[in-house]
Amino acid sequence: MLLGDGDGFVSCRCGRRHWGRNGAAGLLLTDPHRGVLLQHRAGWTHQGRTWALPGGAVLTGETAARAATRETEEETTVPAAAVRVLAERTDDHGDWSYTTVLATVRTAVEARVANAESEAVHWVRPEDVRSYPLHGDFAAAWPRLWPQLDRELRVVVDTANV
């Protein structure tokens, strides 16, 4: 496998190795009628044969939202233009970070396996996610992510006091 910009493992001060020299990002994509999009990771990938979010390494200068939507399109054929980003949640280790980008579909989209990183992709009801053999980090994060589904970050600026 040829490594590109941002690809590679980082030995983190937490004592573990993580993918993405610039950090990594995944897309928690929801469809109100079908649930959340999960990817069954190919056996050769880090923690392969588990279910997780589509995503991957952040490129130099790339935002987490752009990385997550780009990786999702590369892995599942869901076009970035069909995704509406709602919020982000970052797990920052100081020398490495993972950002979960919460989003919803703008229109109905078909997801399918687009490259060798996935064995399958499925829309899964949120209440059924824990019944899948999950990637360890995603399993640990899911209880905090589930309540955030469809939650949108809104910034309010009080211009009278600026």
Side-chain angles (χ1 to χ4, degrees):
M1 173 173 87
L2 292 174
L3 297 181
D5 174 42
D7 289 342
F9 282 98
V10 172
S11 293
C12 183
R13 73 178 95 193
C14 75
R16 298 176 57 210
R17 288 174 15 121
H18 304 289
W19 182 254
R21 292 192 325 253
N22 304 316
L27 189 69
L28 179 49
L29 184 61
T30 61
D31 179 308
H33 305 291
R34 296 182 286 178
V36 298
L37 183 62
L38 294 184
Q39 169 200 44
H40 192 212
R41 300 166 59 82
W44 61 267
T45 64
H46 183 58
Q47 293 190 39
R49 294 199 172 86
T50 60
W51 290 83
L53 303 178
V58 176
L59 302 178
T60 302
E62 188 176 45
T63 66
R66 174 66 187 124
T69 56
R70 174 186 51 78
E71 287 279 347
T72 297
E73 187 166 0
E74 290 173 8
E75 295 169 0
T76 71
T77 72
V78 172
V83 173
R84 185 167 71 91
V85 172
L86 303 173
E88 295 180 4
R89 184 178 189 289
T90 301
D91 181 15
D92 191 345
H93 295 204
D95 53 352
W96 182 85
S97 66
Y98 182 88
T99 302
T100 302
V101 177
L102 294 101
T104 190
V105 294
R106 292 181 187 276
T107 60
V109 294
E110 291 302 317
R112 53 183 199 278
V113 172
N115 65 26
E117 294 178 35
S118 306
E119 292 182 358
V121 292
H122 290 292
W123 293 97
V124 178
R125 295 180 331 159
E127 58 270 22
D128 295 336
V129 167
R130 294 188 88 165
S131 68
Y132 284 69
L134 300 177
H135 181 284
D137 295 324
F138 179 55
W142 180 243
R144 293 184 307 275
L145 294 170
W146 185 358
Q148 304 300 314
L149 296 180
D150 299 322
R151 187 172 183 185
E152 188 165 1
L153 175 64
R154 297 194 189 275
V155 177
V156 178
V157 177
D158 181 355
T159 56
N161 293 311
V162 174

Short mmCIF file of all heavy atoms in Angstrom, two decimals, residues 90-120:
data_model
loop_
_atom_site.label_atom_id
_atom_site.label_comp_id
_atom_site.label_asym_id
_atom_site.label_seq_id
_atom_site.Cartn_x
_atom_site.Cartn_y
_atom_site.Cartn_z
N THR A 90 -14.49 16.12 19.16
CA THR A 90 -13.09 15.74 19.03
C THR A 90 -12.57 15.10 20.30
O THR A 90 -12.77 15.62 21.40
CB THR A 90 -12.23 16.98 18.68
OG1 THR A 90 -12.72 17.53 17.46
CG2 THR A 90 -10.76 16.60 18.52
N ASP A 91 -11.89 13.97 20.12
CA ASP A 91 -11.17 13.29 21.19
C ASP A 91 -9.70 13.65 20.98
O ASP A 91 -9.03 13.08 20.11
CB ASP A 91 -11.41 11.78 21.10
CG ASP A 91 -10.72 11.00 22.19
OD1 ASP A 91 -10.29 11.61 23.19
OD2 ASP A 91 -10.61 9.77 22.05
N ASP A 92 -9.20 14.63 21.74
CA ASP A 92 -7.86 15.18 21.54
C ASP A 92 -6.89 14.59 22.55
O ASP A 92 -7.06 14.75 23.75
CB ASP A 92 -7.90 16.70 21.67
CG ASP A 92 -6.63 17.37 21.22
OD1 ASP A 92 -5.60 16.67 21.07
OD2 ASP A 92 -6.66 18.59 21.02
N HIS A 93 -5.86 13.92 22.06
CA HIS A 93 -4.84 13.31 22.91
C HIS A 93 -3.62 14.21 23.08
O HIS A 93 -2.65 13.82 23.70
CB HIS A 93 -4.38 11.97 22.32
CG HIS A 93 -5.45 10.94 22.29
ND1 HIS A 93 -5.16 9.60 22.26
CD2 HIS A 93 -6.80 11.01 22.29
CE1 HIS A 93 -6.28 8.90 22.23
NE2 HIS A 93 -7.29 9.73 22.24
N GLY A 94 -3.64 15.39 22.49
CA GLY A 94 -2.49 16.29 22.54
C GLY A 94 -1.57 16.12 21.36
O GLY A 94 -1.26 17.07 20.66
N ASP A 95 -1.16 14.89 21.09
CA ASP A 95 -0.29 14.63 19.94
C ASP A 95 -1.01 13.89 18.81
O ASP A 95 -0.42 13.58 17.78
CB ASP A 95 0.97 13.87 20.36
CG ASP A 95 0.68 12.60 21.13
OD1 ASP A 95 -0.49 12.36 21.49
OD2 ASP A 95 1.63 11.84 21.40
N TRP A 96 -2.29 13.63 19.00
CA TRP A 96 -3.13 12.99 17.99
C TRP A 96 -4.57 13.25 18.37
O TRP A 96 -4.90 13.35 19.56
CB TRP A 96 -2.86 11.48 17.93
CG TRP A 96 -3.66 10.78 16.87
CD1 TRP A 96 -3.33 10.65 15.56
CD2 TRP A 96 -4.92 10.13 17.03
NE1 TRP A 96 -4.31 9.96 14.88
CE2 TRP A 96 -5.29 9.63 15.78
CE3 TRP A 96 -5.77 9.93 18.10
CZ2 TRP A 96 -6.47 8.93 15.57
CZ3 TRP A 96 -6.95 9.23 17.89
CH2 TRP A 96 -7.29 8.73 16.64
N SER A 97 -5.46 13.36 17.38
CA SER A 97 -6.88 13.55 17.69
C SER A 97 -7.74 12.82 16.68
O SER A 97 -7.33 12.56 15.54
CB SER A 97 -7.24 15.04 17.71
OG SER A 97 -7.09 15.59 16.41
N TYR A 98 -8.94 12.48 17.13
CA TYR A 98 -9.96 11.89 16.27
C TYR A 98 -11.21 12.73 16.40
O TYR A 98 -11.68 12.98 17.52
CB TYR A 98 -10.27 10.44 16.67
CG TYR A 98 -11.30 9.81 15.75
CD1 TYR A 98 -10.89 9.16 14.59
CD2 TYR A 98 -12.66 9.90 16.02
CE1 TYR A 98 -11.82 8.60 13.73
CE2 TYR A 98 -13.59 9.34 15.16
CZ TYR A 98 -13.17 8.69 14.02
OH TYR A 98 -14.09 8.14 13.16
N THR A 99 -11.74 13.18 15.26
CA THR A 99 -12.95 13.99 15.26
C THR A 99 -14.09 13.21 14.64
O THR A 99 -13.97 12.73 13.50
CB THR A 99 -12.74 15.31 14.50
OG1 THR A 99 -11.67 16.02 15.12
CG2 THR A 99 -13.99 16.16 14.52
N THR A 100 -15.17 13.07 15.38
CA THR A 100 -16.40 12.51 14.84
C THR A 100 -17.21 13.68 14.31
O THR A 100 -17.52 14.62 15.04
CB THR A 100 -17.21 11.77 15.91
OG1 THR A 100 -16.39 10.74 16.48
CG2 THR A 100 -18.47 11.16 15.33
N VAL A 101 -17.52 13.63 13.03
CA VAL A 101 -18.31 14.66 12.39
C VAL A 101 -19.74 14.14 12.30
O VAL A 101 -20.00 13.12 11.65
CB VAL A 101 -17.75 15.00 10.99
CG1 VAL A 101 -18.63 16.03 10.29
CG2 VAL A 101 -16.32 15.49 11.10
N LEU A 102 -20.65 14.79 13.01
CA LEU A 102 -22.05 14.39 13.00
C LEU A 102 -22.74 15.10 11.85
O LEU A 102 -22.57 16.32 11.67
CB LEU A 102 -22.71 14.74 14.33
CG LEU A 102 -22.16 13.93 15.50
CD1 LEU A 102 -21.17 14.77 16.29
CD2 LEU A 102 -23.28 13.45 16.37
N ALA A 103 -23.50 14.33 11.07
CA ALA A 103 -24.12 14.89 9.87
C ALA A 103 -25.40 14.14 9.56
O ALA A 103 -25.66 13.06 10.10
CB ALA A 103 -23.15 14.78 8.69
N THR A 104 -26.17 14.72 8.68
CA THR A 104 -27.38 14.08 8.18
C THR A 104 -27.38 14.17 6.66
O THR A 104 -26.64 14.98 6.09
CB THR A 104 -28.65 14.72 8.78
OG1 THR A 104 -29.79 13.93 8.45
CG2 THR A 104 -28.85 16.15 8.31
N VAL A 105 -28.18 13.35 6.03
CA VAL A 105 -28.26 13.37 4.57
C VAL A 105 -29.15 14.54 4.14
O VAL A 105 -30.14 14.85 4.80
CB VAL A 105 -28.78 12.04 4.00
CG1 VAL A 105 -27.79 10.92 4.26
CG2 VAL A 105 -30.15 11.68 4.54
N ARG A 106 -28.77 15.18 3.05
CA ARG A 106 -29.60 16.24 2.46
C ARG A 106 -30.75 15.63 1.65
O ARG A 106 -31.84 16.16 1.60
CB ARG A 106 -28.77 17.14 1.55
CG ARG A 106 -27.74 17.98 2.28
CD ARG A 106 -26.98 18.85 1.26
NE ARG A 106 -25.88 19.54 1.87
CZ ARG A 106 -25.99 20.70 2.53
NH1 ARG A 106 -27.17 21.26 2.66
NH2 ARG A 106 -24.93 21.26 3.04
N THR A 107 -30.44 14.52 0.99
CA THR A 107 -31.40 13.78 0.18
C THR A 107 -31.11 12.30 0.37
O THR A 107 -30.05 11.94 0.90
CB THR A 107 -31.25 14.12 -1.32
OG1 THR A 107 -29.92 13.78 -1.74
CG2 THR A 107 -31.50 15.59 -1.61
N ALA A 108 -32.01 11.46 -0.07
CA ALA A 108 -31.78 10.02 0.02
C ALA A 108 -30.54 9.66 -0.80
O ALA A 108 -30.39 10.13 -1.94
CB ALA A 108 -32.99 9.26 -0.49
N VAL A 109 -29.65 8.87 -0.22
CA VAL A 109 -28.43 8.46 -0.90
C VAL A 109 -28.27 6.95 -0.80
O VAL A 109 -28.76 6.33 0.14
CB VAL A 109 -27.17 9.14 -0.30
CG1 VAL A 109 -27.19 10.63 -0.53
CG2 VAL A 109 -27.02 8.82 1.17
N GLU A 110 -27.62 6.40 -1.79
CA GLU A 110 -27.27 4.99 -1.76
C GLU A 110 -25.82 4.87 -1.34
O GLU A 110 -24.96 5.57 -1.88
CB GLU A 110 -27.48 4.35 -3.12
CG GLU A 110 -28.93 4.23 -3.52
CD GLU A 110 -29.76 3.43 -2.53
OE1 GLU A 110 -29.29 2.37 -2.06
OE2 GLU A 110 -30.88 3.87 -2.24
N ALA A 111 -25.55 4.01 -0.39
CA ALA A 111 -24.17 3.75 0.04
C ALA A 111 -23.80 2.35 -0.40
O ALA A 111 -24.59 1.42 -0.28
CB ALA A 111 -24.07 3.87 1.56
N ARG A 112 -22.60 2.23 -0.95
CA ARG A 112 -22.12 0.90 -1.33
C ARG A 112 -20.60 0.86 -1.18
O ARG A 112 -19.95 1.90 -1.13
CB ARG A 112 -22.57 0.52 -2.73
CG ARG A 112 -22.27 1.48 -3.80
CD ARG A 112 -22.85 1.00 -5.14
NE ARG A 112 -22.17 1.69 -6.21
CZ ARG A 112 -22.48 2.90 -6.63
NH1 ARG A 112 -23.47 3.55 -6.09
NH2 ARG A 112 -21.79 3.46 -7.59
N VAL A 113 -20.08 -0.32 -1.09
CA VAL A 113 -18.64 -0.50 -0.96
C VAL A 113 -17.96 0.08 -2.20
O VAL A 113 -18.31 -0.26 -3.33
CB VAL A 113 -18.29 -2.00 -0.79
CG1 VAL A 113 -16.79 -2.22 -0.86
CG2 VAL A 113 -18.87 -2.53 0.51
N ALA A 114 -16.98 0.96 -1.96
CA ALA A 114 -16.32 1.64 -3.07
C ALA A 114 -14.84 1.31 -3.19
O ALA A 114 -14.24 1.63 -4.21
CB ALA A 114 -16.50 3.15 -2.92
N ASN A 115 -14.25 0.71 -2.17
CA ASN A 115 -12.83 0.35 -2.27
C ASN A 115 -12.53 -0.82 -1.33
O ASN A 115 -13.42 -1.31 -0.63
CB ASN A 115 -11.92 1.56 -2.00
CG ASN A 115 -12.01 2.11 -0.60
OD1 ASN A 115 -12.36 1.40 0.35
ND2 ASN A 115 -11.70 3.39 -0.44
N ALA A 116 -11.28 -1.23 -1.31
CA ALA A 116 -10.88 -2.43 -0.57
C ALA A 116 -10.85 -2.25 0.95
O ALA A 116 -10.63 -3.21 1.67
CB ALA A 116 -9.50 -2.89 -1.05
N GLU A 117 -11.10 -1.04 1.44
CA GLU A 117 -11.10 -0.80 2.89
C GLU A 117 -12.38 -1.31 3.57
O GLU A 117 -12.42 -1.41 4.79
CB GLU A 117 -10.92 0.68 3.18
CG GLU A 117 -9.57 1.21 2.76
CD GLU A 117 -9.41 2.70 3.01
OE1 GLU A 117 -9.95 3.19 4.01
OE2 GLU A 117 -8.74 3.36 2.19
N SER A 118 -13.41 -1.58 2.78
CA SER A 118 -14.70 -2.00 3.33
C SER A 118 -15.10 -3.37 2.82
O SER A 118 -14.87 -3.69 1.66
CB SER A 118 -15.80 -1.01 2.91
OG SER A 118 -15.48 0.30 3.23
N GLU A 119 -15.72 -4.15 3.71
CA GLU A 119 -16.33 -5.40 3.29
C GLU A 119 -17.81 -5.20 3.02
O GLU A 119 -18.40 -5.88 2.21
CB GLU A 119 -16.12 -6.47 4.35
CG GLU A 119 -14.66 -6.89 4.47
CD GLU A 119 -14.42 -7.99 5.48
OE1 GLU A 119 -15.38 -8.44 6.15
OE2 GLU A 119 -13.25 -8.40 5.62
N ALA A 120 -18.41 -4.22 3.73
CA ALA A 120 -19.84 -3.92 3.56
C ALA A 120 -20.12 -2.55 4.17
O ALA A 120 -19.34 -2.05 4.99
CB ALA A 120 -20.70 -4.98 4.26
#
